[in-house]
Amino acid sequence: MTLSTKPLSNRIAVVFDFDDTLVPDTVDALLSSLDIDSLEFRKNKIRPFINEGWDKILARFYALISESKRQGNKITQEYLAKFGQNLAPFDGVNQMFDRLRHSAHKINPKVEVEFYLITSGMVEIARHNCISPYFKAIWGCEFFYGEHGGIEFVKKIVTHTEKTRYIFQLAKGIEGHQDDGQMFVYRDVPPEELHIPLTQVIYVGDGESDIPCFSLMHQEQGTAIALYKDSTPEEWGRELSITQSQRVANLAPVDYSENSELMHSLTLAVESICKQISLQQLSVGE
């Protein structure tokens, strides 16, 4: 790096939401495994708490904890782990990671593509899913387990807004549970000390929980790709009341097959950043 050029990072971060982005909704699937109708449960067990002013995430988990206790502490850490192992990702997800790394390598062999997962859902499920080894770090909500093994209380919550905290965390190169008290002061960190600048972050999500991350990507000139499943692009934007600062680079159907629009978008995003990195490498003689 010279005084005239930007600090160089040979890394790209591709950050994913989990539920309805890489796998089907885990709450619905978990309820189904307990022989519970998910629509009725959401309407009769979760919605009343939300109507009383509860946070949506806490309302969902409190209802699940109550149901687990009603069924004799059925939802245990072991139950969630086994459920995560048996939960199938969307078609093509398993192949997507290597495809993106291969695309980057063709443009610039020195670029590393790192994958991260940030969920407002149950991290125990994500950690035991078959795709978990692909991620450099996985963050999400965690349970405390009682003396009988069942879920007893929420130990850690990752709110929609707090998802952005972990994007700052990965930018600084902090993978685990460390908290240096400076997660949100990204601009105060010398650029040459960043693990990955936010301009080299691609965020992929499907809905309401991802809106703060969409805004952050818009603000920091990163790349946001949004997914829709059972609606049109126009309906997706109206349902979430997307504002100008939350607009995304691309909106694609949830389809990770090799020639899909989504894979084309992800590949273009990775290759575009690779070319920017290559331009910077020319300046420093790498």
Side-chain angles (χ1 to χ4, degrees):
M1 183 184 73
T2 70
L3 292 175
S4 304
T5 58
K6 297 178 181 179
L8 177 66
S9 171
N10 287 338
R11 302 180 188 91
I12 297 171
V14 188
V15 187
F16 288 93
D17 173 47
F18 192 54
D19 287 34
D20 282 330
T21 295
L22 295 171
V23 300
D25 186 277
T26 55
V27 173
D28 287 352
L30 183 65
L31 289 169
S32 179
S33 76
L34 298 168
D35 295 320
I36 296 171
D37 184 282
S38 61
L39 288 177
E40 288 188 8
F41 189 86
R42 288 179 181 274
K43 179 182 177 181
N44 300 324
K45 301 295 185 180
I46 301 177
R47 176 52 58 180
F49 291 119
I50 296 174
N51 291 342
E52 291 178 6
W54 282 57
D55 177 90
K56 290 182 179 179
I57 299 172
L58 290 175
R60 182 172 67 223
F61 288 150
Y62 184 78
L64 281 175
I65 291 168
S66 299
E67 181 60 31
S68 175
K69 290 179 177 179
R70 191 186 70 80
Q71 294 198 26
N73 296 301
K74 186 166 184 178
I75 305 178
T76 61
Q77 188 170 16
E78 182 181 1
Y79 189 95
L80 290 175
K82 186 175 180 180
F83 176 83
Q85 291 169 359
N86 294 330
L87 183 66
F90 291 131
D91 291 344
V93 168
N94 280 294
Q95 295 76 36
M96 174 263 299
F97 303 98
D98 287 339
R99 284 172 180 158
L100 292 181
R101 285 197 171 115
H102 179 67
S103 295
H105 189 266
K106 284 194 301 182
I107 300 292
N108 188 329
K110 294 182 178 180
V111 172
E112 298 177 33
V113 181
E114 297 180 351
F115 298 99
Y116 296 86
L117 193 151
I118 309 173
T119 176
S120 291
M122 294 166 275
V123 76
E124 199 71 44
I125 294 173
R127 284 176 180 160
H128 289 85
N129 193 257
C130 62
I131 59 175
S132 64
Y134 290 105
F135 295 102
K136 187 175 179 69
I138 297 175
W139 295 291
C141 300
E142 300 183 38
F143 288 117
F144 166 74
Y145 301 90
E147 60 178 320
H148 300 293
I151 52 176
E152 183 77 21
F153 203 75
V154 181
K155 174 181 173 181
K156 178 181 177 183
I157 185 170
V158 177
T159 64
H160 300 176
T161 303
E162 198 175 25
K163 276 187 166 187
T164 61
R165 164 192 172 175
Y166 295 99
I167 293 180
F168 287 117
Q169 189 164 321
L170 70 87
K172 295 179 66 179
I174 301 171
E175 298 172 30
H177 296 284
Q178 297 171 256
D179 186 344
D180 61 4
Q182 296 185 351
M183 295 305 173
F184 292 102
V185 290
Y186 172 83
R187 291 182 183 83
D188 292 339
V189 178
E192 61 272 13
E193 294 181 12
L194 289 173
H195 182 70
I196 303 175
L198 294 190
T199 53
Q200 293 172 205
V201 173
I202 301 165
Y203 184 86
V204 187
D206 72 288
E208 183 181 8
S209 73
D210 306 298
I211 289 177
C213 294
F214 294 157
S215 293
L216 178 63
M217 291 295 96
H218 180 90
Q219 178 183 348
E220 298 291 341
Q221 297 183 315
T223 303
I225 296 176
L227 311 182
Y228 65 94
K229 189 169 61 173
D230 299 320
S231 61
T232 65
E234 293 76 19
E235 290 170 338
W236 181 88
R238 283 196 300 269
E239 288 169 2
L240 296 182
S241 301
I242 294 295
T243 67
Q244 184 173 350
S245 67
Q246 298 160 353
R247 290 178 180 175
V248 295
N250 188 262
L251 180 59
V254 182
D255 178 2
Y256 290 88
S257 58
E258 187 172 5
N259 297 314
S260 67
E261 180 183 343
L262 174 55
M263 280 306 303
H264 190 52
S265 299
L266 285 167
T267 301
L268 283 174
V270 167
E271 290 179 349
S272 176
I273 297 173
C274 279
K275 289 176 181 179
Q276 289 294 321
I277 293 172
S278 297
L279 177 62
Q280 291 174 271
Q281 285 176 336
L282 287 175
S283 297
V284 296
E286 284 202 15

